[in-house]
Amino acid sequence: MKFTLDARTLDGGEQVVAVILDTSRLGRIDPASLTTGTFTVHAKATSPIPLAPGDQIFSEYDLDRPVTRARLDRHGDIVLDLSYAEGQLGGGTLGYIASKGRNVQLDLVYTITQNKPIAVRHGAYTIKKFVQGRLSNPEVDAFGYRTSGSGMKYRLYSPGGHGRRPLVVWLHGGGEGASLPDNYYDNETTLRANRGALGFATPEAQRIFGGAYVVAPQSTSFWLQDGDRFAPQIAEIVRDLARRYPIDRRRIHVVGCSNGGYMSLKMTTVYPDLFAASVPICGVVTSLTPGGPPMITDAELRAIDTPTWLVASLDDDTVPPQANTVHADDLIPGSRVSLYDHVVWNGHQFPGHWSWIYVARNDPRIDGTHIWQWMSHRRS
């Protein structure tokens, strides 16, 4: 019996939220024979690449996943809903390798055990064998796989309908780039680590933007490591998409977090006429090392004329907001800024660095105008 892992990208990252058993071919199943104890679900998650001695990977696990509900879906398949929550260990699909500062997609092995027979039309039935199938996340799967001419991987969401549409460019944080020299370059973590890109593909965002393409390029290392080289590679993707799809070249927006916040600012310094709006979230502008040169100079910040809305949380202890976001806001002509005290969503407090959660939920607001609506009205 084949089964699918059903995943959902929460604000804090993707988790497996259910297991779906392909039981429709068995005929009608009596739902009364399904309880939370009918099946046991065990999950093991391990690193996809070898770890150096003493290295740490966060979020590996080997445990039972509590079944909160057993039910039938409209196809007649058995769905085992699993316990999950923000910050809960045991459901995540990504692991963070400390020495590399990278998220990787964990190797997931789920073991299903049937503890009681299920009632079918011709009596009781026990499944003899379970075979794990694919990881399914409808929001992630809606983004197609692409590779640019320069070899940079990216994911693309295409809206339905007709007419010229805006394009939102999402630039991920440092943890979602490639992990070199391990040759780990997955085109996955950019959509599974947070809702940054996914937020712009939601029905709400699509309604506000009137349908928008969303592209999420993946760095081959860190954006911060080599912004001058990456900028033309990102621009190549944008221009190629604008040639191949009905994209309104006056409505191309760039949004990025942390490393990507730096890169969104970098793109507007290198390509001042390309973007209608820029949203740098907890972006880096000062030196990465004490006393070193700035990542983006004061002169470059003063010269930015792309409409810019910066976002950060004041308790960010990864990218200090005063020296980066606040400093950039002081220098960029006409910029807007949203500064939060903490990052809290649906009652859960996240690390202060994770202020991209607010942009992914269209929360920043100035004078009654939310950030997505502000973006949607900008033209280059």
Side-chain angles (χ1 to χ4, degrees):
M1 180 68 64
K2 192 172 184 178
F3 64 89
T4 300
L5 303 180
D6 185 32
R8 184 180 305 170
T9 303
L10 309 182
D11 294 287
E14 186 181 60
Q15 294 189 25
V16 176
V17 300
V19 173
I20 303 174
L21 310 182
D22 184 15
T23 54
S24 57
R25 64 181 178 81
L26 298 179
R28 187 183 182 281
I29 297 172
D30 182 358
S33 65
L34 299 175
T35 70
T36 56
T38 305
F39 298 91
T40 300
V41 178
H42 186 88
K44 185 176 182 179
T46 56
S47 174
I49 59 178
L51 299 178
D55 203 355
Q56 283 185 297
I57 181 169
F58 296 96
S59 298
E60 280 189 328
Y61 49 88
D62 187 353
L63 44 70
D64 288 334
R65 296 288 311 276
V67 177
T68 60
R69 184 186 177 195
R71 57 186 172 87
L72 292 174
D73 66 12
R74 60 188 179 88
H75 304 292
D77 294 329
I78 294 174
V79 179
L80 305 177
D81 292 320
L82 304 175
S83 174
Y84 70 94
E86 296 286 6
Q88 178 174 304
L89 178 66
T93 65
L94 302 180
Y96 185 79
I97 301 178
S99 68
K100 302 179 187 299
R102 290 293 191 278
N103 283 303
V104 292
Q105 190 168 6
L106 294 166
D107 287 337
L108 302 176
V109 177
Y110 271 64
T111 304
I112 314 296
T113 303
Q114 185 172 352
N115 303 314
K116 304 173 186 176
I118 55 175
V120 297
R121 180 172 298 173
H122 301 294
Y125 186 83
T126 299
I127 299 169
K128 296 180 175 62
K129 183 179 180 181
F130 296 91
V131 179
Q132 182 172 320
R134 73 186 193 94
L135 177 71
S136 171
N137 182 331
E139 286 189 298
V140 171
D141 297 341
F143 285 69
Y145 290 81
R146 302 285 191 278
T147 303
S148 73
S150 66
M152 181 173 284
K153 294 181 179 181
Y154 63 95
R155 300 291 292 269
L156 177 67
Y157 174 85
S158 300
H162 304 282
R164 296 208 167 270
R165 304 303 181 90
L167 170 67
V168 178
V169 182
W170 169 260
L171 301 177
H172 61 74
E176 288 73 67
S179 183
L180 302 175
D182 305 280
N183 201 30
Y184 184 87
Y185 188 38
D186 63 2
N187 212 0
E188 298 286 348
T189 53
T190 52
L191 303 181
R192 301 187 189 277
N194 56 60
R195 297 193 55 78
L198 300 182
F200 291 99
T202 59
E204 179 190 359
Q206 290 294 303
R207 176 182 55 79
I208 290 170
F209 283 91
Y213 289 86
V214 185
V215 64
Q218 187 179 31
S219 167
T220 51
S221 57
F222 289 101
W223 302 124
L224 278 162
Q225 190 174 71
D226 200 353
D228 290 330
R229 179 170 62 89
F230 289 132
Q233 293 182 10
I234 296 168
E236 174 196 14
I237 292 172
V238 170
R239 288 166 175 160
D240 182 56
L241 293 176
R243 284 191 298 267
R244 294 166 55 194
Y245 298 93
I247 289 171
D248 185 344
R249 293 172 184 259
R250 297 189 61 215
R251 292 189 292 163
I252 299 174
H253 312 280
V254 61
V255 187
C257 67
S258 191
N259 251 254
Y262 151 78
M263 201 66 217
S264 63
L265 285 166
K266 180 74 175 180
M267 291 301 292
T268 61
T269 67
V270 179
Y271 302 100
D273 302 321
L274 185 57
F275 300 103
S278 171
V279 179
I281 309 162
C282 55
V284 180
V285 299
T286 58
S287 172
L288 293 177
T289 57
M295 298 306 300
I296 299 179
T297 68
D298 288 0
E300 289 175 320
L301 293 171
R302 291 190 184 98
I304 291 175
D305 61 5
T306 302
T308 302
W309 188 328
L310 301 114
V311 179
S313 180
L314 293 172
D315 63 344
D316 187 339
D317 57 6
T318 301
V319 178
Q322 295 295 334
N324 292 279
T325 295
V326 174
H327 181 71
D329 178 56
D330 288 341
L331 297 181
I332 298 173
S335 63
R336 294 177 162 218
V337 65
S338 292
L339 296 172
Y340 292 85
D341 292 326
H342 307 284
V343 181
V344 180
W345 196 258
N346 284 337
H348 184 83
Q349 183 164 341
F350 296 88
H353 189 48
W354 293 16
S355 49
W356 53 81
I357 288 172
Y358 288 120
V359 176
R361 296 293 186 176
N362 195 26
D363 189 75
R365 178 176 57 183
I366 295 175
D367 296 331
T369 300
H370 286 264
I371 197 163
W372 291 354
Q373 281 84 350
W374 175 83
M375 292 171 63
S376 71
H377 286 96
R378 305 279 76 76
R379 303 289 187 274
S380 63

PDB file of all heavy atoms in Angstrom, residues 20-50:
ATOM      1  N   ILE A  20      -1.185  10.103   3.937  1.00  0.00           N
ATOM      2  CA  ILE A  20      -2.360   9.717   3.159  1.00  0.00           C
ATOM      3  C   ILE A  20      -2.113   8.341   2.556  1.00  0.00           C
ATOM      4  O   ILE A  20      -1.185   8.153   1.753  1.00  0.00           O
ATOM      5  CB  ILE A  20      -2.660  10.750   2.050  1.00  0.00           C
ATOM      6  CG1 ILE A  20      -2.844  12.142   2.663  1.00  0.00           C
ATOM      7  CG2 ILE A  20      -3.905  10.341   1.262  1.00  0.00           C
ATOM      8  CD1 ILE A  20      -3.010  13.246   1.639  1.00  0.00           C
ATOM      9  N   LEU A  21      -2.943   7.372   2.947  1.00  0.00           N
ATOM     10  CA  LEU A  21      -2.825   6.001   2.456  1.00  0.00           C
ATOM     11  C   LEU A  21      -3.680   5.840   1.208  1.00  0.00           C
ATOM     12  O   LEU A  21      -4.847   6.238   1.184  1.00  0.00           O
ATOM     13  CB  LEU A  21      -3.280   5.005   3.522  1.00  0.00           C
ATOM     14  CG  LEU A  21      -2.683   5.156   4.929  1.00  0.00           C
ATOM     15  CD1 LEU A  21      -3.214   4.057   5.841  1.00  0.00           C
ATOM     16  CD2 LEU A  21      -1.172   5.133   4.882  1.00  0.00           C
ATOM     17  N   ASP A  22      -3.129   5.232   0.172  1.00  0.00           N
ATOM     18  CA  ASP A  22      -3.825   5.062  -1.100  1.00  0.00           C
ATOM     19  C   ASP A  22      -4.780   3.867  -1.018  1.00  0.00           C
ATOM     20  O   ASP A  22      -4.544   2.806  -1.589  1.00  0.00           O
ATOM     21  CB  ASP A  22      -2.798   4.867  -2.215  1.00  0.00           C
ATOM     22  CG  ASP A  22      -3.430   4.783  -3.590  1.00  0.00           C
ATOM     23  OD1 ASP A  22      -4.611   5.160  -3.724  1.00  0.00           O
ATOM     24  OD2 ASP A  22      -2.746   4.332  -4.532  1.00  0.00           O
ATOM     25  N   THR A  23      -5.888   4.064  -0.286  1.00  0.00           N
ATOM     26  CA  THR A  23      -6.815   2.961  -0.019  1.00  0.00           C
ATOM     27  C   THR A  23      -8.080   2.994  -0.871  1.00  0.00           C
ATOM     28  O   THR A  23      -8.964   2.166  -0.680  1.00  0.00           O
ATOM     29  CB  THR A  23      -7.229   2.983   1.464  1.00  0.00           C
ATOM     30  OG1 THR A  23      -7.744   4.289   1.793  1.00  0.00           O
ATOM     31  CG2 THR A  23      -6.057   2.662   2.367  1.00  0.00           C
ATOM     32  N   SER A  24      -8.170   3.933  -1.815  1.00  0.00           N
ATOM     33  CA  SER A  24      -9.413   4.070  -2.578  1.00  0.00           C
ATOM     34  C   SER A  24      -9.742   2.796  -3.348  1.00  0.00           C
ATOM     35  O   SER A  24     -10.925   2.479  -3.557  1.00  0.00           O
ATOM     36  CB  SER A  24      -9.317   5.253  -3.540  1.00  0.00           C
ATOM     37  OG  SER A  24      -8.211   5.118  -4.408  1.00  0.00           O
ATOM     38  N   ARG A  25      -8.728   2.035  -3.755  1.00  0.00           N
ATOM     39  CA  ARG A  25      -8.971   0.812  -4.532  1.00  0.00           C
ATOM     40  C   ARG A  25      -9.577  -0.307  -3.691  1.00  0.00           C
ATOM     41  O   ARG A  25     -10.036  -1.327  -4.243  1.00  0.00           O
ATOM     42  CB  ARG A  25      -7.669   0.335  -5.172  1.00  0.00           C
ATOM     43  CG  ARG A  25      -6.597  -0.067  -4.179  1.00  0.00           C
ATOM     44  CD  ARG A  25      -5.316  -0.505  -4.877  1.00  0.00           C
ATOM     45  NE  ARG A  25      -4.267  -0.848  -3.937  1.00  0.00           N
ATOM     46  CZ  ARG A  25      -4.177  -2.011  -3.313  1.00  0.00           C
ATOM     47  NH1 ARG A  25      -5.094  -2.944  -3.529  1.00  0.00           N
ATOM     48  NH2 ARG A  25      -3.175  -2.254  -2.475  1.00  0.00           N
ATOM     49  N   LEU A  26      -9.582  -0.153  -2.380  1.00  0.00           N
ATOM     50  CA  LEU A  26     -10.158  -1.186  -1.516  1.00  0.00           C
ATOM     51  C   LEU A  26     -11.678  -1.150  -1.504  1.00  0.00           C
ATOM     52  O   LEU A  26     -12.324  -2.053  -0.972  1.00  0.00           O
ATOM     53  CB  LEU A  26      -9.644  -1.025  -0.075  1.00  0.00           C
ATOM     54  CG  LEU A  26      -8.137  -1.176   0.143  1.00  0.00           C
ATOM     55  CD1 LEU A  26      -7.801  -0.957   1.611  1.00  0.00           C
ATOM     56  CD2 LEU A  26      -7.658  -2.542  -0.321  1.00  0.00           C
ATOM     57  N   GLY A  27     -12.257  -0.102  -2.100  1.00  0.00           N
ATOM     58  CA  GLY A  27     -13.706   0.042  -2.028  1.00  0.00           C
ATOM     59  C   GLY A  27     -14.104   0.804  -0.778  1.00  0.00           C
ATOM     60  O   GLY A  27     -13.270   1.408  -0.094  1.00  0.00           O
ATOM     61  N   ARG A  28     -15.385   0.752  -0.476  1.00  0.00           N
ATOM     62  CA  ARG A  28     -15.893   1.541   0.649  1.00  0.00           C
ATOM     63  C   ARG A  28     -15.329   1.045   1.976  1.00  0.00           C
ATOM     64  O   ARG A  28     -15.396  -0.138   2.300  1.00  0.00           O
ATOM     65  CB  ARG A  28     -17.421   1.509   0.682  1.00  0.00           C
ATOM     66  CG  ARG A  28     -18.003   2.442   1.725  1.00  0.00           C
ATOM     67  CD  ARG A  28     -19.513   2.354   1.815  1.00  0.00           C
ATOM     68  NE  ARG A  28     -20.040   3.289   2.791  1.00  0.00           N
ATOM     69  CZ  ARG A  28     -20.031   3.086   4.106  1.00  0.00           C
ATOM     70  NH1 ARG A  28     -19.517   1.955   4.586  1.00  0.00           N
ATOM     71  NH2 ARG A  28     -20.514   3.992   4.937  1.00  0.00           N
ATOM     72  N   ILE A  29     -14.755   1.977   2.739  1.00  0.00           N
ATOM     73  CA  ILE A  29     -14.237   1.688   4.077  1.00  0.00           C
ATOM     74  C   ILE A  29     -15.188   2.290   5.095  1.00  0.00           C
ATOM     75  O   ILE A  29     -15.656   3.430   4.928  1.00  0.00           O
ATOM     76  CB  ILE A  29     -12.821   2.268   4.251  1.00  0.00           C
ATOM     77  CG1 ILE A  29     -11.848   1.607   3.265  1.00  0.00           C
ATOM     78  CG2 ILE A  29     -12.326   2.095   5.686  1.00  0.00           C
ATOM     79  CD1 ILE A  29     -10.478   2.255   3.231  1.00  0.00           C
ATOM     80  N   ASP A  30     -15.500   1.531   6.115  1.00  0.00           N
ATOM     81  CA  ASP A  30     -16.362   2.044   7.172  1.00  0.00           C
ATOM     82  C   ASP A  30     -15.554   3.021   8.027  1.00  0.00           C
ATOM     83  O   ASP A  30     -14.595   2.611   8.697  1.00  0.00           O
ATOM     84  CB  ASP A  30     -16.875   0.892   8.037  1.00  0.00           C
ATOM     85  CG  ASP A  30     -17.842   1.363   9.136  1.00  0.00           C
ATOM     86  OD1 ASP A  30     -18.071   2.594   9.235  1.00  0.00           O
ATOM     87  OD2 ASP A  30     -18.347   0.498   9.868  1.00  0.00           O
ATOM     88  N   PRO A  31     -15.920   4.316   8.022  1.00  0.00           N
ATOM     89  CA  PRO A  31     -15.133   5.279   8.802  1.00  0.00           C
ATOM     90  C   PRO A  31     -15.152   4.996  10.294  1.00  0.00           C
ATOM     91  O   PRO A  31     -14.251   5.434  11.017  1.00  0.00           O
ATOM     92  CB  PRO A  31     -15.790   6.624   8.469  1.00  0.00           C
ATOM     93  CG  PRO A  31     -17.150   6.289   7.962  1.00  0.00           C
ATOM     94  CD  PRO A  31     -17.034   4.955   7.289  1.00  0.00           C
ATOM     95  N   ALA A  32     -16.153   4.254  10.761  1.00  0.00           N
ATOM     96  CA  ALA A  32     -16.219   3.941  12.191  1.00  0.00           C
ATOM     97  C   ALA A  32     -15.082   3.022  12.623  1.00  0.00           C
ATOM     98  O   ALA A  32     -14.775   2.929  13.819  1.00  0.00           O
ATOM     99  CB  ALA A  32     -17.573   3.304  12.525  1.00  0.00           C
ATOM    100  N   SER A  33     -14.444   2.355  11.647  1.00  0.00           N
ATOM    101  CA  SER A  33     -13.342   1.456  11.995  1.00  0.00           C
ATOM    102  C   SER A  33     -12.006   2.186  12.079  1.00  0.00           C
ATOM    103  O   SER A  33     -10.966   1.567  12.339  1.00  0.00           O
ATOM    104  CB  SER A  33     -13.240   0.331  10.959  1.00  0.00           C
ATOM    105  OG  SER A  33     -12.886   0.836   9.673  1.00  0.00           O
ATOM    106  N   LEU A  34     -12.040   3.508  11.853  1.00  0.00           N
ATOM    107  CA  LEU A  34     -10.818   4.304  11.907  1.00  0.00           C
ATOM    108  C   LEU A  34     -10.765   5.100  13.206  1.00  0.00           C
ATOM    109  O   LEU A  34     -11.657   5.910  13.485  1.00  0.00           O
ATOM    110  CB  LEU A  34     -10.757   5.269  10.715  1.00  0.00           C
ATOM    111  CG  LEU A  34     -10.733   4.632   9.326  1.00  0.00           C
ATOM    112  CD1 LEU A  34     -10.795   5.711   8.260  1.00  0.00           C
ATOM    113  CD2 LEU A  34      -9.499   3.761   9.146  1.00  0.00           C
ATOM    114  N   THR A  35      -9.746   4.858  13.982  1.00  0.00           N
ATOM    115  CA  THR A  35      -9.517   5.622  15.216  1.00  0.00           C
ATOM    116  C   THR A  35      -8.055   6.070  15.228  1.00  0.00           C
ATOM    117  O   THR A  35      -7.254   5.657  14.380  1.00  0.00           O
ATOM    118  CB  THR A  35      -9.796   4.774  16.466  1.00  0.00           C
ATOM    119  OG1 THR A  35      -8.769   3.765  16.587  1.00  0.00           O
ATOM    120  CG2 THR A  35     -11.165   4.100  16.387  1.00  0.00           C
ATOM    121  N   THR A  36      -7.725   6.890  16.207  1.00  0.00           N
ATOM    122  CA  THR A  36      -6.330   7.354  16.305  1.00  0.00           C
ATOM    123  C   THR A  36      -5.380   6.216  16.662  1.00  0.00           C
ATOM    124  O   THR A  36      -4.158   6.359  16.535  1.00  0.00           O
ATOM    125  CB  THR A  36      -6.199   8.467  17.355  1.00  0.00           C
ATOM    126  OG1 THR A  36      -6.696   7.987  18.611  1.00  0.00           O
ATOM    127  CG2 THR A  36      -6.993   9.706  16.929  1.00  0.00           C
ATOM    128  N   GLY A  37      -5.928   5.084  17.088  1.00  0.00           N
ATOM    129  CA  GLY A  37      -5.084   3.941  17.426  1.00  0.00           C
ATOM    130  C   GLY A  37      -5.026   2.869  16.357  1.00  0.00           C
ATOM    131  O   GLY A  37      -4.330   1.866  16.535  1.00  0.00           O
ATOM    132  N   THR A  38      -5.749   3.050  15.251  1.00  0.00           N
ATOM    133  CA  THR A  38      -5.764   2.034  14.192  1.00  0.00           C
ATOM    134  C   THR A  38      -4.387   1.868  13.561  1.00  0.00           C
ATOM    135  O   THR A  38      -3.969   0.762  13.225  1.00  0.00           O
ATOM    136  CB  THR A  38      -6.789   2.396  13.112  1.00  0.00           C
ATOM    137  OG1 THR A  38      -8.076   2.586  13.716  1.00  0.00           O
ATOM    138  CG2 THR A  38      -6.889   1.299  12.057  1.00  0.00           C
ATOM    139  N   PHE A  39      -3.674   2.979  13.401  1.00  0.00           N
ATOM    140  CA  PHE A  39      -2.339   2.956  12.814  1.00  0.00           C
ATOM    141  C   PHE A  39      -1.361   3.690  13.724  1.00  0.00           C
ATOM    142  O   PHE A  39      -1.733   4.656  14.398  1.00  0.00           O
ATOM    143  CB  PHE A  39      -2.327   3.630  11.435  1.00  0.00           C
ATOM    144  CG  PHE A  39      -3.192   2.963  10.406  1.00  0.00           C
ATOM    145  CD1 PHE A  39      -4.513   3.347  10.243  1.00  0.00           C
ATOM    146  CD2 PHE A  39      -2.677   1.961   9.600  1.00  0.00           C
ATOM    147  CE1 PHE A  39      -5.315   2.744   9.283  1.00  0.00           C
ATOM    148  CE2 PHE A  39      -3.472   1.356   8.630  1.00  0.00           C
ATOM    149  CZ  PHE A  39      -4.792   1.740   8.476  1.00  0.00           C
ATOM    150  N   THR A  40      -0.112   3.255  13.699  1.00  0.00           N
ATOM    151  CA  THR A  40       0.992   3.952  14.365  1.00  0.00           C
ATOM    152  C   THR A  40       1.918   4.494  13.278  1.00  0.00           C
ATOM    153  O   THR A  40       2.198   3.806  12.290  1.00  0.00           O
ATOM    154  CB  THR A  40       1.766   3.012  15.297  1.00  0.00           C
ATOM    155  OG1 THR A  40       0.876   2.499  16.290  1.00  0.00           O
ATOM    156  CG2 THR A  40       2.914   3.754  15.981  1.00  0.00           C
ATOM    157  N   VAL A  41       2.391   5.710  13.486  1.00  0.00           N
ATOM    158  CA  VAL A  41       3.277   6.351  12.512  1.00  0.00           C
ATOM    159  C   VAL A  41       4.611   6.670  13.192  1.00  0.00           C
ATOM    160  O   VAL A  41       4.651   7.382  14.198  1.00  0.00           O
ATOM    161  CB  VAL A  41       2.652   7.647  11.952  1.00  0.00           C
ATOM    162  CG1 VAL A  41       3.616   8.322  10.968  1.00  0.00           C
ATOM    163  CG2 VAL A  41       1.317   7.362  11.288  1.00  0.00           C
ATOM    164  N   HIS A  42       5.680   6.129  12.630  1.00  0.00           N
ATOM    165  CA  HIS A  42       7.024   6.422  13.128  1.00  0.00           C
ATOM    166  C   HIS A  42       7.794   7.181  12.056  1.00  0.00           C
ATOM    167  O   HIS A  42       7.705   6.860  10.864  1.00  0.00           O
ATOM    168  CB  HIS A  42       7.777   5.137  13.483  1.00  0.00           C
ATOM    169  CG  HIS A  42       9.100   5.387  14.142  1.00  0.00           C
ATOM    170  ND1 HIS A  42       9.236   5.545  15.514  1.00  0.00           N
ATOM    171  CD2 HIS A  42      10.352   5.540  13.627  1.00  0.00           C
ATOM    172  CE1 HIS A  42      10.500   5.763  15.809  1.00  0.00           C
ATOM    173  NE2 HIS A  42      11.201   5.782  14.672  1.00  0.00           N
ATOM    174  N   ALA A  43       8.544   8.192  12.471  1.00  0.00           N
ATOM    175  CA  ALA A  43       9.288   9.018  11.517  1.00  0.00           C
ATOM    176  C   ALA A  43      10.751   9.084  11.909  1.00  0.00           C
ATOM    177  O   ALA A  43      11.095   9.262  13.085  1.00  0.00           O
ATOM    178  CB  ALA A  43       8.701  10.419  11.475  1.00  0.00           C
ATOM    179  N   LYS A  44      11.603   8.966  10.900  1.00  0.00           N
ATOM    180  CA  LYS A  44      13.042   9.136  11.097  1.00  0.00           C
ATOM    181  C   LYS A  44      13.540  10.110  10.049  1.00  0.00           C
ATOM    182  O   LYS A  44      13.264   9.963   8.858  1.00  0.00           O
ATOM    183  CB  LYS A  44      13.775   7.801  10.975  1.00  0.00           C
ATOM    184  CG  LYS A  44      15.268   7.898  11.280  1.00  0.00           C
ATOM    185  CD  LYS A  44      15.931   6.522  11.250  1.00  0.00           C
ATOM    186  CE  LYS A  44      17.410   6.616  11.608  1.00  0.00           C
ATOM    187  NZ  LYS A  44      18.070   5.285  11.602  1.00  0.00           N
ATOM    188  N   ALA A  45      14.275  11.136  10.488  1.00  0.00           N
ATOM    189  CA  ALA A  45      14.785  12.160   9.583  1.00  0.00           C
ATOM    190  C   ALA A  45      16.288  12.309   9.803  1.00  0.00           C
ATOM    191  O   ALA A  45      16.739  12.540  10.931  1.00  0.00           O
ATOM    192  CB  ALA A  45      14.085  13.497   9.840  1.00  0.00           C
ATOM    193  N   THR A  46      17.056  12.176   8.715  1.00  0.00           N
ATOM    194  CA  THR A  46      18.513  12.237   8.811  1.00  0.00           C
ATOM    195  C   THR A  46      19.079  13.135   7.723  1.00  0.00           C
ATOM    196  O   THR A  46      18.431  13.422   6.717  1.00  0.00           O
ATOM    197  CB  THR A  46      19.131  10.831   8.681  1.00  0.00           C
ATOM    198  OG1 THR A  46      18.686  10.238   7.453  1.00  0.00           O
ATOM    199  CG2 THR A  46      18.720   9.945   9.843  1.00  0.00           C
ATOM    200  N   SER A  47      20.314  13.566   7.923  1.00  0.00           N
ATOM    201  CA  SER A  47      20.967  14.460   6.980  1.00  0.00           C
ATOM    202  C   SER A  47      21.171  13.779   5.624  1.00  0.00           C
ATOM    203  O   SER A  47      21.542  12.605   5.573  1.00  0.00           O
ATOM    204  CB  SER A  47      22.325  14.907   7.522  1.00  0.00           C
ATOM    205  OG  SER A  47      23.029  15.666   6.551  1.00  0.00           O
ATOM    206  N   PRO A  48      20.977  14.505   4.517  1.00  0.00           N
ATOM    207  CA  PRO A  48      21.196  13.922   3.193  1.00  0.00           C
ATOM    208  C   PRO A  48      22.665  13.917   2.778  1.00  0.00           C
ATOM    209  O   PRO A  48      23.014  13.303   1.774  1.00  0.00           O
ATOM    210  CB  PRO A  48      20.388  14.849   2.283  1.00  0.00           C
ATOM    211  CG  PRO A  48      20.480  16.183   2.964  1.00  0.00           C
ATOM    212  CD  PRO A  48      20.442  15.883   4.444  1.00  0.00           C
ATOM    213  N   ILE A  49      23.514  14.617   3.531  1.00  0.00           N
ATOM    214  CA  ILE A  49      24.933  14.657   3.212  1.00  0.00           C
ATOM    215  C   ILE A  49      25.729  14.273   4.457  1.00  0.00           C
ATOM    216  O   ILE A  49      25.276  14.481   5.586  1.00  0.00           O
ATOM    217  CB  ILE A  49      25.378  16.053   2.704  1.00  0.00           C
ATOM    218  CG1 ILE A  49      25.096  17.130   3.756  1.00  0.00           C
ATOM    219  CG2 ILE A  49      24.689  16.399   1.400  1.00  0.00           C
ATOM    220  CD1 ILE A  49      25.566  18.523   3.327  1.00  0.00           C
ATOM    221  N   PRO A  50      26.917  13.708   4.270  1.00  0.00           N
ATOM    222  CA  PRO A  50      27.727  13.303   5.433  1.00  0.00           C
ATOM    223  C   PRO A  50      28.120  14.518   6.271  1.00  0.00           C
ATOM    224  O   PRO A  50      28.384  15.602   5.742  1.00  0.00           O
ATOM    225  CB  PRO A  50      28.960  12.653   4.795  1.00  0.00           C
ATOM    226  CG  PRO A  50      28.547  12.302   3.403  1.00  0.00           C
ATOM    227  CD  PRO A  50      27.557  13.343   2.986  1.00  0.00           C
TER     228      PRO A  50
END
